[in-house]
Amino acid sequence: QSSSAASDVYKRQNEDRVVSAFCEYHGIWRVDDTDALLRTTPLYLKKWRPSGNRLVVLTDSGASAVMIADTADQIGLSLGKFSTSLVEKLKQVLPDFVSVTNPVDMTSILRAEPQRFAAVLAVMAEERVADLFVVAFPASGAGYDVAGLARMAADFSASTGNPLAVAVPQPPIAAHFRDAGLPTYPSETEALLALKQLADHTRLLTYEDREPVVTSHPAPPFGESRLILEGQALSYLRSLQIPVVPFQVCQDFMAVEAAAVELGPRVVLKVLSQQVAHRAKAGLVILGNDTPARVRAGYEQLMCRAQSLDVEVEGIMVASQCPIDQELFVGVKVDPVFGPVVTLGQGGTNVEDGHCLQVRLTPMSEAASLAAIDQLCACLADESILHYRRALAAILVTLSDVAIAHS
């Protein structure tokens, strides 16, 4: 019962991922709740289209600067790096005790000399150091020229076209920035989440190859059974120029013994049968066969196990057992609503877990494939995948083309 429940959850998650893939393919941003929709609406209404996610933070509070930097890192916004020339220009317009790194903590000097804010913004406009700006004034209040600061920020955004969000917790102070036409939020986190969504959504809207060229490939070797024997599947993949592990399909022990010598020093033995999909769970796969004695024992164990399960053995596959960095799963399914989709995730026993599974609509371009790989790599926190990023992207594109032609 628990296994069935887990399978149902996986199915629902997978179907939901297909919906998300459809939205992403067509440049539609899918939100989790109404708050996420309304939070970014003021930025959308400005028709801003940032070219990246580099962020500059301008604030009058050191504590706010630290918290914003931490939150930006957590949600995937990168702080823009200041060039030497930009630092020197900031030093000319700010007092010696003010930080001229990113975030820029302008301190309470703005209370006495608000024009310094305009000078900082002028430097930023000249250097073009960032795609996104957040201005946080948690310490402003009595004695500040808030209306003037709001006008300065609005003029900067209008002249540069840079998206700028303001974070001010006090409603009377925030009103001045809203009156100046700036998207204004009660917390730094809300402002950052809005900017992050705008940047990510813009990335979806600017895919240049949404309709890539589809290459023709031969049809998969489907028969009456819904399962393709692994030997047939590997031969087909090899015909698509997709690298596969060295293997041989054998019909008796003498052939298995000879194949083990040729493919060794360590081989995997697998039963081939259209009656069993999950052979490892059924005990029909044996690893680590690295001596003639182990090969013989493994073969006899497989044949006895198949007989006990009443499984028809259509062959024994002998394959080289290769060291791996990360076991991945690449697959194709045909969704009844959205058509063929390509999936990418962890392989082995983690396939049905669905953790970090990436789902994409077809056709898949190289850019879309690379994006899926990068997102999987980030989810798994495993950079070993990046070593064969281009080769894996080529496989995804090929399977996408096959799915379109033969689904």
Side-chain angles (χ1 to χ4, degrees), residues 47 57 76 134 162 229-230 272 321 325 405:
K47 298 182 180 180
V57 181
V134 62
N162 284 125
L229 293 179
E230 186 173 357
L272 298 178
Q321 186 170 331
D325 294 323

Side-chain angles (χ1 to χ4, degrees), residues 354-366:
H355 179 62
C356 295
L357 185 70
Q358 304 296 310
V359 179
R360 296 293 186 274
L361 261 63
T362 57
M364 284 187 74
S365 64
E366 183 184 44

Side-chain angles (χ1 to χ4, degrees), residues 74 90-91 101-102 186 214 256 265 345 356:
Q74 291 169 7
L90 288 177
K91 287 180 178 179
T101 58
N102 190 15
V214 176
V256 168
C356 295

Side-chain angles (χ1 to χ4, degrees), residues 217-240 274 399 402 406:
H217 294 287
F222 292 125
E224 295 182 2
S225 171
R226 54 188 298 269
L227 292 178
I228 301 176
L229 293 179
E230 186 173 357
Q232 293 176 298
L234 291 177
S235 296
Y236 175 68
L237 292 175
R238 192 160 51 194
S239 75
L240 300 177
Q274 294 186 354
L399 292 182
V402 170
H406 303 291

Side-chain angles (χ1 to χ4, degrees), residues 36-357:
L37 175 65
L38 298 178
R39 181 169 54 228
T40 313
T41 298
L43 301 178
Y44 286 137
L45 293 176
K46 290 288 186 180
K47 298 182 180 180
W48 285 327
R49 293 291 183 267
S51 57
N53 68 346
R54 297 173 305 157
L55 175 73
V56 162
V57 181
L58 306 176
T59 180
D60 63 350
S61 165
S64 178
V66 172
M67 290 187 289
I68 291 175
D70 288 345
T71 302
D73 181 66
Q74 291 169 7
I75 67 175
L77 289 173
S78 59
L79 293 178
K81 297 184 182 299
F82 287 178
S83 65
T84 302
S85 64
L86 187 147
V87 170
E88 291 302 318
K89 290 177 182 178
L90 288 177
K91 287 180 178 179
Q92 294 174 14
V93 299
L94 289 171
D96 294 339
F97 59 84
V98 170
S99 168
V100 291
T101 58
N102 190 15
V104 181
D105 174 15
M106 297 174 288
T107 73
S108 57
I109 189 68
L110 296 183
R111 181 176 182 178
E113 303 177 48
Q115 68 277 9
R116 290 186 183 269
F117 182 47
V120 169
L121 291 173
V123 171
M124 296 296 170
E126 182 179 348
E127 289 287 329
R128 294 286 180 177
V129 68
D131 310 298
L132 309 165
F133 287 81
V134 62
V135 173
F137 286 140
S140 59
Y144 280 79
D145 180 13
V146 179
L149 295 173
R151 286 194 301 272
M152 296 172 196
D155 290 344
F156 165 80
S157 184
S159 63
T160 63
N162 284 125
L164 185 149
V166 180
V168 178
Q170 310 98 317
I173 305 299
H176 289 279
F177 290 92
R178 288 197 182 92
D179 291 344
L182 292 170
T184 305
Y185 302 88
S187 73
E188 292 96 342
T189 298
E190 288 189 63
L192 291 173
L193 288 173
L195 288 171
K196 166 68 172 172
Q197 180 176 320
L198 178 69
D200 288 347
H201 194 179
T202 301
R203 174 182 55 81
L204 295 185
L205 293 169
T206 53
Y207 271 157
E208 295 181 356
D209 51 357
R210 199 168 297 279
E211 294 294 340
V213 176
V214 176
T215 302
S216 177
H217 294 287
F222 292 125
E224 295 182 2
S225 171
R226 54 188 298 269
L227 292 178
I228 301 176
L229 293 179
E230 186 173 357
Q232 293 176 298
L234 291 177
S235 296
Y236 175 68
L237 292 175
R238 192 160 51 194
S239 75
L240 300 177
Q241 306 302 312
I242 294 177
V244 299
V245 65
F247 74 96
Q248 291 184 28
V249 175
C250 306
Q251 299 300 326
D252 55 46
F253 176 69
M254 290 183 61
V256 168
E257 191 175 35
V261 172
E262 181 178 341
L263 301 173
R266 179 173 294 186
V267 296
V268 181
L269 303 180
K270 301 181 180 182
V271 168
L272 298 178
S273 175
Q274 294 186 354
Q275 295 175 265
V276 183
H278 298 288
R279 289 167 296 166
K281 291 183 179 180
L284 298 176
V285 175
I286 298 181
L287 307 175
N289 304 282
D290 55 1
T291 66
R294 287 185 176 178
V295 170
R296 175 178 289 276
Y299 173 80
E300 292 175 352
Q301 182 180 334
L302 287 179
M303 298 305 289
C304 289
R305 180 61 175 166
Q307 185 177 10
S308 69
L309 296 174
D310 195 24
V311 168
E312 180 185 356
V313 177
E314 299 179 55
I316 298 292
M317 193 177 88
V318 183
S320 299
Q321 186 170 331
C322 305
I324 58 173
D325 294 323
Q326 171 69 260
E327 191 170 6
L328 299 179
F329 161 79
V330 178
V332 174
K333 63 171 285 186
V334 179
D335 185 89
V337 176
F338 299 107
V341 297
V342 174
T343 58
L344 169 69
Q346 284 185 295
T349 58
N350 295 309
V351 170
E352 292 192 5
D353 174 55
H355 179 62
C356 295
L357 185 70

